[in-house]
Amino acid sequence: MSNGIQDDAQVSNPQEEAPHIISADLDLQITAGEIDEEMKPLNDAVRSLPPDAVKDLLSKQVCMRCIFRIFGVQLPDFSFSPPSLLSDFLGEQTDSDKHVEDIEPKSCSICLGVLQFVYCDNKETLVKKESANDMAATIADEVKKEGYQIDSFSLEVSLPPIILENENMAWLYVKKKYGSELWFQERSLSERISAKDALKSALANPLEKLLDVKCGVSSFRIRLTYTHSKASKKVQNFVERNEGCKRRKVGKSSTENGLDSVKDESVSISEANTVTKSSSDGLLDNSSSDVSEFPLEKVNERCRLECLCYRTSIYFGGRYLKYSRNVSQTRWIIDEERMGEASIEELIGGNILPMCRGDNYKFHAAGREDIDVRMLGSGRPFLVEIQNARQVPSELFVKEIETKINNLENKLIRVKNLKAVGSQGWTLMREGESEKQKQYVALVWISRPLQDEELQSISSMKELHILQRTPIRVLHRRSPLEREKIIHWMNIEKIAGSSQYFLLHLCTQAGTYIKEFVHGDLGRTNPSIGSILGCRAEILQLDVTEVKMDCFLDE
C-alpha cells in the first residue's frame, strides 16, 4: 500500500450528517481556494487532537487511521493524509516530499493492517491496495464477474475479536496515561469509531459509484470476512475456561501433539461478544489494569480476507397439480435406484433454478401426497427457495417460467398462480396449515355388496372422530404415536353396474391417513370404513381433490 502524499485534487467533501467524517469524491476537480475550504473541517478536527498522545500512539506502531478514529475523526479515503496535518501531530515541519510511510507502521498494532488495506487472500498471498478506491474497485470487479443483477447492495464486515481487544487496550492505555488531562475528560467513549464502521464508511461511497447503485438495506450483500489465526489472550483464556464451548477443536491431532489451543475460527460469535463486551465495560472502571506495556505483543501476521457476494434467498410460490400416479413429491432414491419417473421438486425447482442462475434450490410444500396419488382441483401450495440468484425475477420473467413448466412434453404436472414472493411466503404457507382441510375421492372395493341403508348411514356421518396409530407402512420413518383426527363429512357415489365398488368422497382434517381409514390397517385405525361396514374394505385409487388453504389462490 502506498502511503504517499495525495494530490490536492483528491481532497474529499465533508459529510453533513456526521461531524469529523470526510467522504471521498472520486471525480472531484477543485481549485486551490476550494481545497482550503473543503479541508477546513478536517483541519479543525485534527487540530483538536492532543499532539503528545498522537505521537505516543505512533511510537506504539498505531497507524494514522486508527489514531484518527480513536479520537472520533474518520477519513473514508484513507490514502489522504496531508503533510500539514502530520506536522501538527509531530510538532515539526514536514517537507513537501516527505511521505506518510516514513512514520506509518508497516503493520498497525491495532487493526493489523485492515485499515491499511493490506491482507492475505485465499491463496495466502499478501495483497496491498493503494487506497479505499482501489479496494472498492477489486470488490466491484468481483460482483460484475459473477454477473449479479442488482438495484442496491448492503455492505457487511466481520473482524476477528483480537482487533476489538486491541482497540480497547489502546483506549485503556490512553485513559491511564492521559485521563487526568482536560482534553481526555472532554471526550466521550462513544466518540470512538470502530474499525468495522470505519472500513464500511471508506468503501461504501466508491462502491456506490462503481456499481451505480445505492448502499443500504438490500437482498444483495457484499460480505468482507477478516480472520486471524491468533486470538487475543482474553478470548483464548475465556474459551479455555469455558468447557461448554461448542466450536472448540480438541480433536485427535491436537491431543497427540500435546496441544490444546483454540484458533480464532474456533471462537463462537456469542463468546467473542461476551469477552469484548466485558472489555468495553472495563474501559470505564478498569483504570488500574496493567496496560503500560501496550501493545502487549507484536503481531506481524496480517488478517486473511474472504470477500463473498451473495443474494439472500428468493422465493417462488404457487400451486401444483399432479396428473401421474408415478411421480413422487421429492426426489426418491432407494439403494441407488430412483422410485418413479420424476419428482415434483425436480420438475419445478429444476426449471426455475437455471433461469434465475442460482446456486441451489429447496422445495417446500403444504403437506404431501403418496407417489401413487394424484393432486387435482386447485392444486397444492408450494414454495421454491432459490439460493444466491443472479437474476432478479420480474413479473414477465415469472410468467415465462410458469409457461415453460406447463409446456413440458411429459405433461406430468402443472403449476398455477406462480409468483415471486418474499420470505412472507413462509407465513402464507403456515397460516392455517394445522387447521386446513383436505378433500379426497377414493375408489373403494368391499368384500360384499353395499346396501342402500349403509350408503345413507355413511353419508349422514359428520365430524367423525377417529384414532390412528402410526401406519405400518410408515413405521420405519415415523414415531409410533396415536393421533386423533376428524372426518368432517363423507358421501358415497355408486358406480353403475357394480355393487362392491364405489367412490368415497370425504373431507378430513390435515394429517389423516386416508388409505388406513378405508382398510383399517389391521385395527390400528378405528373406526374405519371396513369396521363401519363390518367387512373387508380396500382402497384401489386415491386422488386429492382440494387443499383448503388461502395462499396462492386465483386473485
Side-chain angles (χ1 to χ4, degrees):
M1 168 180 171
S2 173
N3 290 320
I5 307 303
Q6 301 299 299
D7 294 335
D8 286 344
Q10 291 179 286
V11 177
S12 50
N13 290 319
Q15 292 182 347
E16 296 179 358
E17 63 272 15
H20 309 332
I21 296 182
I22 312 301
S23 62
D25 189 342
L26 304 182
D27 303 314
L28 189 64
Q29 298 293 330
I30 54 180
T31 65
E34 290 172 324
I35 293 175
D36 292 339
E37 185 65 26
E38 299 296 339
M39 285 179 57
K40 189 175 184 305
L42 176 61
N43 274 289
D44 291 344
V46 170
R47 288 195 184 102
S48 70
L49 300 183
D52 290 345
V54 171
K55 287 190 288 184
D56 190 4
L57 289 173
L58 282 171
S59 71
K60 298 293 186 180
Q61 301 298 299
V62 179
C63 71
M64 291 295 301
R65 298 84 180 159
C66 284
I67 292 175
F68 285 168
R69 66 186 182 81
I70 282 176
F71 294 108
V73 180
Q74 180 170 310
L75 294 175
D77 183 0
F78 288 141
S79 61
F80 169 60
S81 227
S84 60
L85 300 181
L86 296 182
S87 64
D88 288 339
F89 294 146
L90 303 175
E92 61 184 24
Q93 295 297 318
T94 305
D95 298 333
S96 58
D97 60 346
K98 187 173 182 178
H99 296 287
V100 181
E101 60 191 17
D102 293 338
I103 60 166
E104 180 84 353
K106 290 185 179 180
S107 180
C108 176
S109 60
I110 295 180
C111 71
L112 306 181
V114 169
L115 298 182
Q116 297 171 301
F117 305 109
V118 183
Y119 58 89
C120 290
D121 61 16
N122 55 8
K123 297 180 181 178
E124 302 301 330
T125 302
L126 189 66
V127 179
K128 222 175 163 184
K129 296 298 178 183
E130 295 294 326
S131 66
N133 300 339
D134 289 339
M135 185 82 168
T138 300
I139 298 170
D141 288 343
E142 188 69 23
V143 174
K144 294 172 182 177
K145 182 177 70 175
E146 288 290 323
Y148 286 100
Q149 179 189 9
I150 62 173
D151 53 12
S152 62
F153 70 93
S154 65
L155 182 61
E156 301 174 343
V157 174
S158 175
L159 299 179
I162 188 174
I163 291 181
L164 184 53
E165 280 296 310
N166 291 342
E167 290 179 352
N168 292 337
M169 292 303 296
W171 186 258
L172 282 171
Y173 172 79
V174 173
K175 177 183 178 181
K176 183 174 183 179
K177 192 166 183 178
Y178 303 99
S180 60
E181 298 189 14
L182 181 62
W183 64 262
F184 184 92
Q185 295 172 3
E186 291 176 345
R187 290 186 179 271
S188 167
L189 183 66
S190 61
E191 289 183 9
R192 291 191 305 162
I193 300 168
S194 71
K196 179 187 296 187
D197 289 341
L199 186 60
K200 289 172 69 173
S201 178
L203 295 175
N205 200 32
L207 277 174
E208 286 183 340
K209 293 179 178 294
L210 291 165
L211 297 175
D212 197 26
V213 293
K214 289 295 183 181
C215 178
V217 178
S218 175
S219 63
F220 178 72
R221 300 177 181 181
I222 300 172
R223 183 169 183 81
L224 306 178
T225 302
Y226 290 85
T227 56
H228 199 277
S229 62
K230 186 175 183 60
S232 69
K233 286 185 175 179
K234 279 194 176 183
V235 175
Q236 272 190 330
N237 292 338
F238 177 85
V239 175
E240 288 171 1
R241 289 195 308 268
N242 185 1
E243 294 181 356
C245 176
K246 294 180 180 179
R247 299 178 60 188
R248 185 174 181 178
K249 299 177 182 178
V250 283
K252 182 178 179 181
S253 59
S254 63
T255 54
E256 283 179 351
N257 294 311
L259 301 176
D260 192 15
S261 61
V262 181
K263 290 192 174 183
D264 200 34
E265 295 85 359
S266 305
V267 182
S268 70
I269 293 175
S270 60
E271 289 157 355
N273 287 344
T274 301
V275 175
T276 53
K277 182 181 185 304
S278 63
S279 298
S280 297
D281 295 341
L283 294 178
L284 302 177
D285 55 20
N286 195 21
S287 57
S288 62
S289 298
D290 184 12
V291 292
S292 59
E293 296 303 319
F294 169 79
L296 296 178
E297 54 185 316
K298 187 173 182 180
V299 180
N300 292 319
E301 182 182 346
R302 305 304 175 99
C303 292
R304 186 173 182 269
L305 172 61
E306 180 183 8
C307 177
L308 176 65
C309 305
Y310 68 100
R311 174 171 277 111
T312 55
S313 293
I314 60 175
Y315 298 87
F316 293 84
R319 290 189 171 230
Y320 74 80
L321 293 89
K322 186 182 79 167
Y323 302 122
S324 170
R325 298 191 187 279
N326 195 30
V327 172
S328 58
Q329 187 183 85
T330 55
R331 193 166 178 259
W332 190 9
I333 304 295
I334 298 179
D335 295 332
E336 300 183 356
E337 181 180 352
R338 172 186 282 275
M339 300 291 106
E341 55 185 309
S343 71
I344 301 292
E345 71 165 351
E346 291 170 302
L347 293 171
I348 299 179
N351 279 286
I352 295 179
L353 181 67
M355 295 186 72
C356 291
R357 295 188 292 125
D359 288 347
N360 200 359
Y361 72 88
K362 291 182 179 179
F363 182 84
H364 315 273
R368 64 168 61 233
E369 66 283 330
D370 290 339
I371 189 172
D372 59 346
V373 175
R374 295 187 299 178
M375 180 66 239
L376 306 176
S378 60
R380 184 185 297 277
F382 71 88
L383 278 178
V384 174
E385 176 185 352
I386 302 295
Q387 299 171 344
N388 198 20
R390 274 71 171 175
Q391 178 75 32
V392 178
S394 64
E395 189 173 336
L396 179 60
F397 179 76
V398 174
K399 288 299 179 186
E400 290 176 0
I401 294 176
E402 182 175 321
T403 300
K404 178 180 179 181
I405 294 172
N406 290 340
N407 288 339
L408 293 174
E409 290 184 7
N410 50 31
K411 303 295 181 183
L412 299 174
I413 68 165
R414 178 171 172 250
V415 296
K416 296 174 59 178
N417 310 325
L418 188 67
K419 60 187 71 176
V421 297
S423 56
Q424 71 270 17
W426 280 112
T427 303
L428 292 173
M429 287 271 285
R430 288 171 180 147
E431 280 180 354
E433 190 173 38
S434 59
E435 293 83 21
K436 71 176 181 286
Q437 297 180 7
K438 294 183 181 179
Q439 293 181 16
Y440 302 86
V441 58
L443 176 60
V444 178
W445 171 88
I446 59 174
S447 58
R448 61 167 177 77
L450 180 69
Q451 305 300 316
D452 289 342
E453 58 271 19
E454 293 172 330
L455 184 151
Q456 294 298 326
S457 175
I458 288 177
S459 298
S460 66
M461 291 181 179
K462 308 294 182 186
E463 305 302 318
L464 175 65
H465 287 252
I466 65 172
L467 288 177
Q468 291 194 308
R469 292 164 64 190
T470 303
I472 294 172
R473 63 186 172 93
V474 297
L475 265 176
H476 64 285
R477 55 187 173 88
R478 297 281 175 87
S479 300
L481 302 174
E482 186 174 75
R483 303 168 179 86
E484 182 178 355
K485 297 295 178 181
I486 301 173
I487 310 298
H488 296 291
W489 54 259
M490 294 183 286
N491 63 67
I492 290 177
E493 179 184 349
K494 286 187 173 181
I495 296 177
S498 175
S499 60
Q500 292 180 253
Y501 293 87
F502 58 86
L503 295 177
L504 175 66
H505 298 266
L506 66 166
C507 176
T508 74
Q509 181 183 350
T512 304
Y513 291 103
I514 305 302
K515 293 177 179 178
E516 282 68 26
F517 172 65
V518 171
H519 59 65
D521 197 26
L522 302 177
R524 297 172 69 84
T525 291
N526 188 51
S528 64
I529 293 296
S531 67
I532 291 171
L533 296 176
C535 64
R536 180 183 169 195
E538 295 292 345
I539 186 166
L540 305 180
Q541 287 185 344
L542 180 64
D543 293 333
V544 184
T545 56
E546 194 66 51
V547 176
K548 287 184 169 291
M549 292 179 66
D550 293 334
C551 61
F552 312 134
L553 289 170
D554 292 313
E555 296 180 354

